[in-house]
C-alpha cells in the first residue's frame, strides 16, 4: 500500500521561505509523476505544481510560478517544494499526491495527510 | 484557464439520491475525476474516468459526463456520505490540473 508523509510545515513570516518534504513508500517512486495540492483554511483544493517522473518537466499554477520550485530525489523516494517570498494567501495545508496518468488525463490516487504552512507576522 | 463550477451545497435525506454537478466548457470531452473529503481528513478518490469506481468504493457511487456537465451520483445516501466533494480534470492546453470549488453534501 502506498504511503506518503509530508513534513516541513510551520509558521513563516511574510516574505520568508520554507521547504516541504514528502517521503513515500509502498510503490516505485521513480515510476510516477507527483504533485503538490494545497487547501487554504475552509476553502477548496488548489493544484500547485507537478513534476514528471524523471524530474525534468515541471508545471506550476500561475500564482506560485517564480516563487515555488518543485523537485524530487528518486534515490531518496522524496518529493520537495521550495517556497520563497511567501504571502499570507499561501497559508494552507499542503498535500503531496501521486499521479495516475491515462490517455489525455491525470488524477490523484494517493494523498498524504498534509502539512500546514501558516504565513503570518 | 479552464474553470469548473460546482454548487456550494446539496442536501439530501437518508436513503435518497444525491446528484452533484460539475460544469465546464465541453467537459464531456474530458475525463472527470471526483474526490470525497471528510472534515480533518485528506481527500479520497471516489470516481475516476467519469464513472469508474476505485477498489473499495461502494457501488452507491457513480458518475456521468456529457456536454457541459459532469455529475456525481450517490444512491441510497448514508450519514457517512456527509462530506465535501470535488471534481477535477486535466487541462491539456495549459498542462494544469483543475479542481471545482467543491460541494458540501449534508445528510438531513
Amino acid at each position: 500500500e502506498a504511503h506518503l508523509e509530508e513534513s516541513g510545515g510551520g509558521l513563516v513570516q511574510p516574505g520568508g521561505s520554507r521547504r516541504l518534504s514528502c517521503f513515500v513508500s509502498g510503490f516505485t517512486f521513480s515510476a510516477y509523476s507527483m504533485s503538490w495540492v494545497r487547501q487554504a483554511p475552509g476553502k477548496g483544493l488548489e493544484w500547485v505544481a507537478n513534476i514528471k517522473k524523471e524530474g525534468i518537466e515541471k508545471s506550476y499554477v500561475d500564482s506560485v510560478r517564480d516563487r515555488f520550485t518543485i523537485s524530487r530525489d528518486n534515490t531518496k523516494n522524496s518529493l520537495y517544494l521550495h517556497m520563497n517570498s511567501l504571502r499570507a494567501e499561501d497559508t494552507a495545508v499542503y498535500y503531496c499526491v501521486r499521479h495516475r496518468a491515462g490517455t489525455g488525463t491525470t488524477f490523484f490516487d494517493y494523498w498524504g495527510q498534509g502539512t500546514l504552512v501558516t504565513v503570518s507576522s | 484557464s479552464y474553470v469548473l463550477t460546482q454548487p456550494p451545497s446539496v442536501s439530501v435525506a437518508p436513503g435518497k439520491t444525491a446528484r452533484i454537478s460539475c460544469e465546464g466548457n465541453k467537459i464531456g470531452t474530458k475525463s472527470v475525476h471526483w474526490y470525497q473529503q471528510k472534515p480533518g481528513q485528506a481527500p479520497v478518490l471516489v470516481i475516476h474516468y467519469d464513472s469508474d469506481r476505485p477498489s473499495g468504493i461502494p457501488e452507491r457511487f457513480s458518475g456521468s459526463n456529457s456536454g457541459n456537465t459532469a455529475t456525481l451520483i450517490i444512491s441510497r445516501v448514508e450519514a457517512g456520505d456527509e462530506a465535501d466533494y470535488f471534481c477535477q480534470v486535466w487541462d491539456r492546453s495549459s498542462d494544469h490540473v483543475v479542481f471545482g470549488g467543491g460541494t458540501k453534501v449534508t445528510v438531513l
Side-chain angles (χ1 to χ4, degrees):
Chain A
E1 178 82 355
H3 184 72
L4 298 80
E5 185 166 346
E6 305 91 342
S7 60
L11 179 62
V12 188
Q13 290 196 337
S17 299
R18 199 81 175 182
R19 187 184 85 157
L20 305 183
S21 300
C22 172
F23 178 75
V24 313
S25 59
F27 66 96
T28 303
F29 180 63
S30 60
Y32 291 86
S33 295
M34 300 291 295
S35 270
W36 290 95
V37 173
R38 69 183 179 183
Q39 186 171 34
K43 302 297 184 181
L45 302 173
E46 180 182 38
W47 168 79
V48 174
N50 71 18
I51 185 167
K52 297 294 190 340
K53 53 189 176 182
E54 301 86 356
I56 305 299
E57 294 182 59
K58 307 172 187 181
S59 295
Y60 300 90
V61 68
D62 290 349
S63 60
V64 308
R65 193 187 315 276
D66 300 328
R67 297 189 301 123
F68 290 11
T69 300
I70 189 171
S71 63
R72 65 191 296 162
D73 186 336
N74 287 345
T75 67
K76 297 182 178 179
N77 282 5
S78 293
L79 177 72
Y80 306 102
L81 186 67
H82 303 254
M83 304 183 294
N84 296 320
S85 303
L86 283 162
R87 307 165 179 167
E89 53 265 36
D90 296 317
T91 294
V93 173
Y94 286 74
Y95 294 101
C96 167
V97 297
R98 188 181 86 167
H99 280 250
R100 274 272 303 278
T103 303
T105 192
T106 189
F107 58 93
F108 307 129
D109 58 352
Y110 285 99
W111 298 62
Q113 282 304 302
T115 187
L116 175 62
V117 174
T118 302
V119 183
S120 175
S121 55
Chain B
S1 60
Y2 195 78
V3 176
L4 295 174
T5 302
Q6 298 181 237
S9 62
V10 167
S11 297
V12 58
K16 300 299 185 182
T17 299
R19 292 179 173 82
I20 305 160
S21 62
C22 176
E23 296 184 346
N25 184 40
K26 298 180 182 179
I27 195 173
T29 63
K30 301 179 182 294
S31 289
V32 179
H33 318 288
W34 291 90
Y35 304 87
Q36 176 194 67
Q37 185 180 33
K38 296 182 178 179
Q41 298 183 19
V44 172
L45 180 71
V46 293
I47 290 289
H48 55 80
Y49 295 108
D50 299 337
S51 59
D52 292 344
R53 278 175 290 103
S55 174
I57 301 302
E59 292 184 6
R60 301 184 297 103
F61 288 82
S62 62
S64 66
N65 184 19
S66 178
N68 292 320
T69 305
T71 305
L72 174 68
I73 303 159
I74 311 173
S75 304
R76 303 181 299 282
V77 166
E78 302 174 355
D81 299 330
E82 194 162 274
D84 293 325
Y85 292 84
F86 298 90
C87 58
Q88 176 253 304
V89 301
W90 176 63
D91 180 26
R92 179 192 296 272
S93 63
S94 62
D95 191 24
H96 286 185
V97 170
V98 179
F99 287 100
T103 298
K104 180 176 181 59
V105 170
T106 299
V107 180
L108 300 171

